[in-house]
Amino acid sequence: MSTKTIIEPFRIKSVEPIRWTTRAQRESLLRAAHWNLFLLEADDVLIDLLTDSGTGAMSTHQWAGIMEGDESYAGSKSFAHFKNSVQDITGYRHVIPTHQGRAAERILFNVMCKKGDVVPNNTHFDTTRANVEFVGAEAVDLLHPEARRPETILPFKGNMDVAALEALIARVGKERIPLVMLTVTNNSGGGQPVSMENAKAVSQVCKTHNIPLYFDACRFAENAWFIREREPGYSSKTPKEIAQEMFALGDGCTMSAKKDGMANIGGFLCTNDDILARQEKDLLILTEGYPTYGGLAGRDLEAVAIGLQESLDEDYLRYRIASTAYLGNHIAEQGVPIVQPPGGHAIYIDAKAFLPHIPVEQFPGVALAAELYLEGGIRSVEIGSLMFAAAANMELVRLAIPRRTYTQSHIDYVVEIILKVFARREKIKGLKLTYEAPFLRHFTAHLEPM
Ligand code: F0G
């Protein structure tokens, strides 16, 4: 369709009420949550943009599939459906179901990495980094240097720095690099896509040195859409063809089906390597479950099998990417500094530029996220120094858009609240940490205003 207005390609069959709170209530709720929005009750949030993970709305087809779920312990037909759907898109030989993405990561890094190894990625997501570090390996981010500047507009700011990858291999030796990962889209770097050209270049380097390439494929469909829209030669290919072409460049993937699997739970690990697959399945049985269900119910396998295909639907992707850009463009037009251009699943406010008077040690991103909650009951998440400590490249506040969940007027409300906070930004104060866990500290940290 070539109309100016891009509409939601669905109508709403089931609704879930959301709840208003007063400013005074939010002040006391925030205090009780130690200024950490993870510690709020979801009921006390009006618009929840904490994550796009597992928070989307399922389709009528998915709900129908759920009723068809085969709950057999071994050999469930829902697993066959799941496996076929995953293989149709990825082409990988072994499909190992897991309860979510990080379970796939834990198994992958346990089997492939040991102490002293190095894992390069364009940017590791927090759980990916933690799982690499947990086995004693080093997680190295090799994002293209141009992509570290939030205001720079480039079509593929998720690209890996290929020269830096080659330099790393030369420096530490390929024996210490058990795999290379590419995260599509690059969540921690602003939800930015990786081009096919870059994936090909990374794949070529990996092949030259005989290092396996794995995709962190959480948002593979959104990445495929950006390639179709922005990369020469792809405008007449379907998102599925583009995704298939990209997966063919690698040896396997990890996936959280809570994102482009359009499900509320689920994930998988894929590999073409028979020996690794056997070790991975052994570990799977130990902690996740039998290889035909992983940590999932048969009905979850059905929801993912159907959701993966729906995420590649052109009408859906056109709406999805346009609606995220709608939020980004409306606040950027008013001067709010964001990571440009708008990403696929989220808009990232540059908190360092929004609150230049708050030093990085006082967590400008956490301070801004707290203000958005106080002003309008919006929950967002800091991706910066609280989440990544010294490894933080930027101080960002992410507004992640759940799939098929909020309408345009919800987003108009979010725009209004952000602009209100922007107007009084000079008065916002920094925060100090009063409690932190030894890893993944942002989930449970306590803070208080300076
Ligand atoms: N990789 C990426 C790029 C992710 O964004 C996530 C999750 C994971 C791996 C782990 O998957 O949650 O199913 O275990 N990201 C969510 C987020 C949590 O909010 O961005 P999981």
Side-chain angles (χ1 to χ4, degrees):
M1 279 219 296
S2 59
T3 48
K4 193 156 82 22
T5 311
I6 295 170
I7 61 168
E8 288 83 356
F10 50 79
R11 52 186 180 176
I12 296 167
K13 181 169 260 179
S14 180
V15 298
E16 189 181 11
I18 50 177
R19 198 171 73 92
W20 268 264
T21 47
T22 64
R23 165 96 198 192
Q25 284 171 327
R26 290 193 293 277
E27 279 169 7
S28 78
L29 290 162
L30 189 65
R31 201 171 311 118
H34 303 279
W35 280 266
N36 182 346
L37 303 185
F38 277 107
L39 303 179
L40 288 172
E41 300 291 336
D43 244 6
D44 297 328
V45 174
L46 183 66
I47 308 275
D48 204 344
L49 308 182
L50 179 68
T51 178
D52 64 319
S53 181
T55 51
M58 286 202 287
S59 67
T60 48
H61 286 108
Q62 285 176 292
W63 284 109
I66 278 178
M67 291 306 294
E68 299 273 1
D70 174 356
E71 304 302 341
S72 305
Y73 191 95
S76 151
K77 70 171 181 289
S78 296
F79 177 68
H81 187 193
F82 176 90
K83 187 175 167 204
N84 288 341
S85 182
V86 173
Q87 284 182 329
D88 171 45
I89 297 165
T90 67
Y92 296 132
R93 189 151 2 143
H94 300 280
V95 179
I96 298 170
T98 60
H99 79 276
Q100 61 184 82
R102 68 199 68 183
E105 292 166 0
R106 191 187 66 84
I107 292 171
L108 178 72
F109 298 129
N110 254 279
V111 167
M112 292 192 82
C113 300
K114 58 182 188 311
K115 201 167 177 314
D117 282 349
V118 177
V119 180
N121 198 322
N122 42 353
T123 311
H124 289 83
F125 183 63
D126 61 354
T127 59
T128 324
R129 169 173 289 279
N131 273 298
V132 169
E133 291 173 351
F134 199 71
V135 296
E138 188 190 344
V140 179
D141 291 342
L142 299 177
L143 190 61
H144 205 278
E146 281 174 325
R148 293 208 184 114
R149 301 236 313 273
E151 68 284 2
T152 321
I153 298 188
L154 288 169
F156 292 104
K157 279 174 92 175
N159 283 355
M160 183 178 271
D161 184 341
V162 182
L165 175 64
E166 286 182 303
L168 180 78
I169 297 170
R171 185 163 58 81
V172 308
K174 66 177 181 186
E175 305 73 26
R176 280 179 62 200
I177 305 180
L179 76 162
V180 172
M181 279 199 110
L182 259 185
T183 304
V184 297
T185 57
N186 187 28
N187 184 7
S188 309
Q192 301 291 329
V194 173
S195 69
M196 192 70 81
E197 189 187 17
N198 186 251
K200 280 183 185 160
V202 171
S203 169
Q204 198 48 53
V205 171
C206 289
K207 286 200 171 80
T208 306
H209 297 280
N210 213 2
I211 302 171
L213 171 63
Y214 278 71
F215 290 98
D216 178 337
C218 296
R219 300 176 181 85
F220 74 97
E222 291 170 4
N223 200 89
W225 184 260
F226 281 119
I227 288 176
R228 184 182 139 118
E229 295 288 283
R230 296 180 184 172
E231 193 161 350
Y234 287 92
S235 61
S236 58
K237 297 216 160 116
T238 65
K240 191 194 267 188
E241 286 166 344
I242 297 169
Q244 287 165 334
E245 183 177 335
M246 184 168 274
F247 283 121
L249 297 169
D251 302 278
C253 69
T254 56
M255 174 73 188
S256 167
K258 302 171 76 172
K259 284 85 168 175
D260 281 350
M262 302 281 220
N264 300 125
I265 196 72
F268 52 85
L269 168 59
C270 289
T271 180
N272 281 335
D273 185 316
D274 297 342
I275 296 166
L276 282 180
R278 188 172 304 156
Q279 293 169 348
E280 287 163 357
K281 283 180 195 169
D282 288 344
L283 207 50
L284 185 84
I285 292 173
L286 191 65
T287 56
E288 287 278 305
Y290 189 73
T292 61
Y293 71 87
L296 298 170
R299 53 180 169 270
D300 301 326
L301 295 168
E302 289 289 346
V304 175
I306 298 164
L308 285 170
Q309 301 292 334
E310 288 183 354
S311 78
L312 289 164
D313 178 81
E314 287 178 26
D315 290 335
Y316 161 72
L317 282 169
R318 183 176 297 111
Y319 139 79
R320 168 75 175 156
I321 301 303
S323 62
T324 303
Y326 178 91
L327 169 59
N329 292 336
H330 276 77
I331 58 175
E333 274 162 16
Q334 302 299 318
V336 176
I338 64 166
V339 174
Q340 289 282 12
H345 68 295
I347 294 301
Y348 298 67
I349 300 177
D350 179 358
K352 217 191 254 180
F354 194 110
L355 300 171
H357 58 285
I358 301 184
V360 165
E361 308 75 53
Q362 293 178 20
F363 308 108
V366 185
L368 176 55
E371 288 300 322
L372 296 178
Y373 177 68
L374 284 176
E375 187 68 43
I378 297 166
R379 178 154 65 172
S380 54
V381 67
E382 185 248 23
I383 299 196
S385 289
L386 182 62
M387 182 178 278
F388 288 120
N393 290 324
M394 300 186 249
E395 301 299 322
L396 305 176
V397 170
R398 185 184 73 173
L399 303 149
I401 320 287
R403 292 168 182 74
R404 306 187 289 206
T405 302
Y406 291 114
T407 64
Q408 188 168 335
S409 58
H410 289 118
I411 300 301
D412 286 335
Y413 170 86
V414 173
V415 169
E416 186 179 331
I417 297 299
I418 294 170
L419 296 180
K420 275 192 178 158
V421 172
F422 191 55
R424 59 172 177 78
R425 61 190 179 280
E426 277 103 6
K427 298 204 184 72
I428 298 170
K429 293 199 176 67
L431 298 159
K432 63 167 186 271
L433 259 180
T434 56
Y435 163 76
E436 63 176 311
F439 48 84
L440 294 173
R441 65 178 182 176
H442 52 291
F443 289 120
T444 52
H446 292 180
L447 300 101
E448 64 184 35
M450 293 299 289

